[in-house]
């Protein structure tokens, strides 16, 4: 979705039918940039080649994942420094400098299901960076349990509120907001983006909300339902859990937000009004980030909602192609303790390197 433009209060599963809104003018990108030097880039690419040579392109194999962990621990101090936690109220940064050559990629896959191991070298590079930052996670119910997802437009999904969409505004949202085990960090690595299609981002630490609005949205008033990328979650029979939209962590306000899958029609007028004020503020502070090949957008998933502007796919092998990795940060305490008792609609996250 374009910056902060919100989808009408659509009920669950009706999100793809929401009318498309015009895309407003986007403010210029103000994302902090961290540059990987040539030595660090060479180190990452060499490590990825060695791992693929030893284990092949299957990035979900236990042997490959463990070698990624060992290699990540041995990467240079400069890489670890550039992968340090988000340190500004923007809640994100762009990691720049990786080498992605268009001719070596091959055509953009027609969907995640047909991508296979396309761009496997870049999968491993992204996993190395993710492992420096924390623990990569995969989902049993999404993209066949892969630790790196291919985000490409797919025929038949143009108007859905998922990463496979294209012709609609992708609503700003917390990644996997429905689940208590969602990532702390979201990584979007650009393989191809010839049309400069923007990812949008809005940080909760930049909004202005009065105390009454924060208090209202801190109540567990509504559930956030699983998005359409999780097919099996629709068969879960447990009752939806009501969750707060905002939460005051030790270092400031955090959020859990996905309007396309939040049944706002079930809320009180006061809650809907507070939610609308939050949406308006997220729109006000939103920025657009048009990634170029070799750039990785790193988003703090507790601080920033992200989306995407609409575009017209060509399905000719030249469309936008991102790779997505999700990261948990061990020991991080930024979420309400009540989340530990949520069922997650039966969906299970898998850690690349279990910490317990």
């Amino acid at each position: 979705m374009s910056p902060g433009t919100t989808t009408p209060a659509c009920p669950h599963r009706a999100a793809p039918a929401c009318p498309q809104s015009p895309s407003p003018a986007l403010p210029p990108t103000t994302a902090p940039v961290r540059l990987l030097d040539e030595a660090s880039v060479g180190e990452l690419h060499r490590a990825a080649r060695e791992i693929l040579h030893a284990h092949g392109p299957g990035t979900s194999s236990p042997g490959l994942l463990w070698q990624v962990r060992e290699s990540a621990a041995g990467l240079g101090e400069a890489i670890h420094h550039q992968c340090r936690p988000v340190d500004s109220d923007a809640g994100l940064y762009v990691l720049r400098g990786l080498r992605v050559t268009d001719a070596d990629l091959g055509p953009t896959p027609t969907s995640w299901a047909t991508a296979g191991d396309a761009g496997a070298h870049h999968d491993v590079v992204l996993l190395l960076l993710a492992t420096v930052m924390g623990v990569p996670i995969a989902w049993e119910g999404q993209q066949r349990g892969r630790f790196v997802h291919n985000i490409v437009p797919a025929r038949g999904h143009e108007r859905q509120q998922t990463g496979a969409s294209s012709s609609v505004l992708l609503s700003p949202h917390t990644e996997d907001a429905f689940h208590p085990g969602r990532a702390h960090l979201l990584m979007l690595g650009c393989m191809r983006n010839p049309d400069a299609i923007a990812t949008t981002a809005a940080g909760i630490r930049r909004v202005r909300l009065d105390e009454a609005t924060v208090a209202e949205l801190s109540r567990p008033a509504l559930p956030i339902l699983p998005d359409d990328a999780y097919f099996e979650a629709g068969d879960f029979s447990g009752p939806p859990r009501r969750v707060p939209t905002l939460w005051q962590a030790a270092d400031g306000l955090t959020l859990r937000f996905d309007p396309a899958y939040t049944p706002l029609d079930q809320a009180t007028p006061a809650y809907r009004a507070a939610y609308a004020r939050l949406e308006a503020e997220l729109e006000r502070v939103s920025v657009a980030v048009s990634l170029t090949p070799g750039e990785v957008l790193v988003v703090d998933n507790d601080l920033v909602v992200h989306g995407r502007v609409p575009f017209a796919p060509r399905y000719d092998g030249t469309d936008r192609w991102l790779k997505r990795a999700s990261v948990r940060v061990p020991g991080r305490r930024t979420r309400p303790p009540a989340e530990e008792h949520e069922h997650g609609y039966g969906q299970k996250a898998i850690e690349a390197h279990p910490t317990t």
Side-chain angles (χ1 to χ4, degrees):
M1 193 171 194
S2 62
T5 305
T6 54
T7 306
C10 305
H12 180 48
R13 305 297 177 196
C18 295
Q20 180 176 338
S21 302
S23 177
L26 302 175
T29 299
T30 56
V33 173
R34 300 181 184 177
L35 181 64
L36 289 166
D37 60 36
E38 281 296 320
S40 296
V41 172
E43 191 178 358
L44 284 162
H45 286 295
R46 282 194 301 275
R49 287 193 297 269
E50 291 170 1
I51 291 167
L52 285 170
H53 179 75
H55 297 280
T59 53
S60 294
S61 74
L64 181 144
L65 292 170
W66 278 104
Q67 187 168 345
V68 164
R69 183 180 185 180
E70 291 177 359
S71 297
L75 291 172
E77 182 180 344
I79 295 173
H80 284 261
H81 177 70
Q82 298 296 49
C83 292
R84 67 191 182 277
V86 169
D87 53 9
S88 76
D89 64 358
L92 54 81
Y93 61 87
V94 173
L95 195 61
R96 181 175 292 169
L98 295 173
R99 295 191 292 266
V100 177
T101 305
D102 190 79
D104 294 337
L105 276 176
T108 298
T110 55
S111 73
W112 71 262
T114 63
D117 294 318
H121 175 87
H122 303 290
D123 290 350
V124 176
V125 170
L126 202 62
L127 278 174
L128 286 164
L129 292 169
T131 304
V132 172
M133 297 178 195
V135 179
I137 62 171
W139 296 92
E140 286 186 346
Q142 192 178 30
Q143 295 208 13
R144 299 179 185 142
R146 299 180 73 94
F147 283 90
V148 178
H149 293 173
N150 288 287
I151 307 301
V152 296
R155 291 187 188 275
H157 298 267
E158 289 87 350
R159 298 188 61 80
Q160 289 187 339
Q161 286 293 308
T162 68
S165 69
S166 51
S167 62
V168 293
L169 302 164
L170 183 60
S171 304
H173 61 282
T174 300
E175 187 73 4
D176 299 318
F178 74 95
H179 202 282
R182 63 195 178 280
H184 294 110
L185 301 173
L186 173 71
M187 304 174 68
L188 296 173
C190 182
M191 303 293 102
R192 178 176 288 134
N193 191 16
D195 305 304
I197 297 157
T199 298
T200 63
I204 191 63
R205 301 282 170 86
R206 290 185 164 179
V207 305
R208 293 195 295 263
L209 295 172
D210 58 59
E211 291 183 5
T213 298
V214 172
E216 184 69 27
L217 295 177
S218 297
R219 296 191 303 107
L222 295 173
I224 299 176
L225 303 169
D227 67 57
D228 290 329
Y230 292 88
F231 305 108
E232 292 137 350
D235 298 328
F236 186 75
S237 58
R241 287 288 185 91
R242 297 180 179 185
V243 300
T245 299
L246 299 180
W247 164 254
Q248 191 70 44
D251 61 346
L253 204 59
T254 65
L255 84 167
R256 184 178 182 181
F257 182 83
D258 194 348
Y261 294 93
T262 299
L264 290 166
D265 56 333
Q266 300 175 14
T268 65
Y271 194 90
R272 287 198 297 271
Y275 205 93
R277 287 192 289 274
L278 173 60
E279 290 180 306
E281 276 297 293
L282 291 171
E283 176 178 353
R284 183 182 65 80
V285 302
S286 291
V287 297
V289 183
S290 295
L291 295 172
T292 60
E295 292 184 333
V296 180
L297 175 62
V298 181
V299 172
D300 189 312
N301 201 37
D302 289 332
L303 304 183
V304 173
V305 293
H306 69 283
R308 191 215 60 241
V309 301
F311 65 99
R314 291 181 292 269
Y315 301 125
D316 64 354
T318 66
D319 282 319
R320 176 181 185 256
W321 180 5
L322 303 183
K323 286 185 176 287
R324 178 177 68 200
S326 298
V327 184
R328 284 183 183 161
V329 180
R332 182 165 167 175
R333 297 287 182 268
T334 54
R335 296 172 181 171
E339 289 195 13
E340 297 176 6
H341 306 292
E342 293 180 26
H343 49 58
Y345 300 88
Q347 300 303 292
K348 181 182 290 187
I350 309 162
E351 292 190 344
H353 323 113
T355 54
T356 57

